[in-house]
Amino acid sequence: MSTIKNHVQLIGNVGQEPTITNLESGKKVARFSIATNEYYKDSKGEKQTDTNWHTVVAWGKTAEIVENYVVKGKEVGIVGKLKTRTYTTDDGNQRYVTEIVADEILLLGSKEDK
């Protein structure tokens, strides 16, 4: 049961080219966003789309997979956990960011997808 306490699974489309950072320690980190869509009919019976954006962070070997295979528009499946961090802006305001730390990335769609 402990593996489902902080567990996220999403399928979505990559919103922009991933940003890859090589740290001094030799570790690699990839950051990108994905969009997930939910469809419903409004009160008039018209189809509506609700899009949510999620920030994804991948480390190590998973970051290397992102670097080599993940491009804007690609459909991907993400398995990971939620992580919230805080930072202080230059003007002294504290901000909170919730990200998905990816443990696994599944490349979806056809090989021809660019």
Side-chain angles (χ1 to χ4, degrees):
M1 279 295 265
S2 66
T3 59
I4 64 172
K5 287 185 180 177
N6 186 0
H7 183 82
V8 176
Q9 292 184 26
L10 293 174
I11 294 176
N13 293 87
V14 178
Q16 84 277 349
E17 294 298 325
T19 302
I20 309 298
T21 306
N22 293 302
L23 303 176
E24 289 179 17
S25 65
K27 269 191 166 182
K28 189 172 284 198
V29 61
R31 292 181 178 278
F32 61 99
S33 64
I34 66 168
T36 55
N37 295 313
E38 292 184 55
Y39 303 99
Y40 64 95
K41 289 188 179 182
D42 63 15
S43 60
K44 296 177 184 174
E46 296 176 1
K47 186 176 178 181
Q48 301 292 321
T49 304
D50 183 25
T51 302
N52 287 291
W53 288 93
H54 313 275
T55 302
V56 180
V57 179
W59 294 88
K61 295 286 186 189
T62 308
E64 290 177 18
I65 292 168
V66 171
E67 180 179 34
N68 293 322
Y69 300 105
V70 175
V71 294
K72 180 180 178 179
K74 178 79 174 162
E75 186 177 33
V76 295
I78 305 291
V79 176
K81 62 184 174 183
L82 292 176
K83 183 81 171 179
T84 301
R85 59 184 175 86
T86 61
Y87 66 94
T88 304
T89 62
D90 292 337
D91 58 359
N93 292 321
Q94 192 165 13
R95 301 277 188 235
Y96 298 89
V97 178
T98 300
E99 302 166 321
I100 299 163
V101 178
D103 295 322
E104 298 177 40
I105 294 184
L106 178 64
L107 306 171
L108 304 171
S110 67
K111 288 185 178 183
E112 290 78 33
D113 288 348
K114 294 286 180 189

